[in-house]
Amino acid sequence: MMPSLFIAHGAPLLAVENNEYTQFLNQLGDSLPRPKAIVLFSAHWESRVQKVSEVDEYDTIYDFGGFDPALYTIKYPAKGSQEISSEIMDLFRANGIPFDIETRRGLDHGAWVVLRLLYPNADVPVIAMSVNPALTPEEQYKVGKSLAALRAKEVLIIGSGGTVHNLRAVNFADNGQVDTWAVEFDDWLAHHLHTWDTNSLFKYDSLAPNAQYAVPPYGNEHFVPIFYAMGAADDNKTAKLLHRSFRYGNLSHSVWQFGE
């Protein structure tokens, strides 16, 4: 059985950096059973109706500006899998999840930065998926849960985002200090993930300390992929924190494994 993962994709610079977090993701790709395919929900692809990619080979999208020019030369030419895309559509139909098919969109940096660190040769088929921040956490969890059967077919399900992601609060000078409010929120989250306390997690915005800073009301799209990934392991309710660190004062680099 393949686990599902939540992976923080951090800033685009991770694609060209060599640090504690990039080294961890390199090692994680080597330590996981090799997947037949990867289904990835990216915070950088928002849609009101669930999108399912059916792409033969992906272009690389540079959905950022003002960074190292080397970033704009990176290509991640992953291929898709019509077989897995079709299975996803069947599962969505069976579970009453509305969806649309996307046949042209490439991989945004929420997808390719993570995938390139895990599987640098772009040799694992990918099915890119959108997220809908307007859904309730329960509904996002249900979307992930509907895909749980894929884990038994060697498909790795990933939610790519960030548990603490407030770009108005980051300190790009990065003096090594971590803001207390970010740690308090992430500690609360870790406790309730470990105990699979969905009743509390689904009300994180009112229950978690500093939730309005960690997941600002103007942008929850980076947080919600965790519910898609968690739902995909509803049949094996276990959560394990594989890595946690912070950059720029409060931007979280966390990796959670759900299921076994």
Side-chain angles (χ1 to χ4, degrees), residues 45-120:
W45 187 10
E46 298 178 51
S47 66
R48 292 291 177 166
V49 176
Q50 179 65 54
K51 300 284 190 178
V52 180
S53 287
E54 192 174 51
V55 174
D56 291 331
E57 183 172 319
Y58 291 93
D59 292 328
T60 305
I61 301 174
Y62 308 104
D63 52 333
F64 46 79
F67 287 94
D68 186 332
L71 285 171
Y72 305 92
T73 67
I74 294 173
K75 303 290 185 184
Y76 193 81
K79 298 186 183 303
S81 169
Q82 290 201 1
E83 175 192 350
I84 303 300
S85 293
S86 294
E87 288 194 47
I88 291 170
M89 295 174 209
D90 288 342
L91 288 168
F92 280 163
R93 291 186 188 102
N95 288 276
I97 308 292
F99 67 90
D100 286 334
I101 301 168
E102 171 56 56
T103 61
R104 300 182 63 182
R105 190 180 189 276
L107 295 176
D108 58 66
H109 85 271
W112 66 258
V113 169
V114 167
L115 293 172
R116 186 168 176 266
L117 289 166
L118 293 174
Y119 302 104

Side-chain angles (χ1 to χ4, degrees), residues 20-260:
E20 173 192 5
Y21 188 47
T22 61
Q23 291 169 14
F24 171 79
L25 291 178
N26 289 152
Q27 294 165 0
L28 179 62
D30 289 336
S31 67
L32 290 168
R34 186 166 182 80
K36 176 181 178 181
I38 298 169
V39 175
L40 189 143
F41 293 89
S42 173
H44 286 274
W45 187 10
E46 298 178 51
S47 66
R48 292 291 177 166
V49 176
Q50 179 65 54
K51 300 284 190 178
V52 180
S53 287
E54 192 174 51
V55 174
D56 291 331
E57 183 172 319
Y58 291 93
D59 292 328
T60 305
I61 301 174
Y62 308 104
D63 52 333
F64 46 79
F67 287 94
D68 186 332
L71 285 171
Y72 305 92
T73 67
I74 294 173
K75 303 290 185 184
Y76 193 81
K79 298 186 183 303
S81 169
Q82 290 201 1
E83 175 192 350
I84 303 300
S85 293
S86 294
E87 288 194 47
I88 291 170
M89 295 174 209
D90 288 342
L91 288 168
F92 280 163
R93 291 186 188 102
N95 288 276
I97 308 292
F99 67 90
D100 286 334
I101 301 168
E102 171 56 56
T103 61
R104 300 182 63 182
R105 190 180 189 276
L107 295 176
D108 58 66
H109 85 271
W112 66 258
V113 169
V114 167
L115 293 172
R116 186 168 176 266
L117 289 166
L118 293 174
Y119 302 104
N121 297 323
D123 52 359
V124 179
V126 175
I127 296 84
M129 308 283 282
S130 66
V131 298
N132 183 355
L135 295 179
T136 66
E138 293 96 329
E139 290 169 325
Q140 292 152 353
Y141 186 99
K142 180 183 176 183
V143 173
K145 181 179 177 180
S146 70
L147 302 182
L150 293 176
R151 294 174 41 242
K153 298 183 178 182
E154 303 175 74
V155 174
L156 177 62
I157 299 173
I158 297 176
S160 173
T163 57
V164 181
H165 189 276
N166 185 341
L167 294 184
R168 297 180 186 176
V170 297
N171 174 16
F172 284 106
D174 202 2
N175 58 11
Q177 300 293 317
V178 181
D179 293 331
T180 300
W181 62 264
V183 175
E184 289 177 348
F185 174 84
D186 231 33
D187 284 348
W188 181 93
L189 179 65
H191 171 74
H192 293 282
L193 287 172
H194 278 131
T195 57
W196 211 272
D197 180 7
T198 53
N199 287 332
S200 296
L201 290 167
F202 291 164
K203 301 173 185 174
Y204 75 91
D205 54 346
S206 60
L207 296 181
N210 312 306
Q212 300 302 303
Y213 292 103
V215 187
Y218 61 81
N220 66 340
E221 73 287 339
H222 277 72
F223 186 71
V224 300
I226 204 165
F227 294 123
Y228 292 87
M230 191 181 186
D234 181 79
D235 56 349
N236 185 254
K237 297 180 176 66
T238 59
K240 182 187 302 182
L241 180 60
L242 302 183
H243 177 92
R244 186 176 81 163
S245 56
F246 291 88
R247 291 285 299 279
Y248 313 120
N250 49 62
L251 186 67
S252 65
H253 287 168
S254 55
V255 178
W256 282 91
Q257 174 181 313
F258 301 116
E260 296 177 342

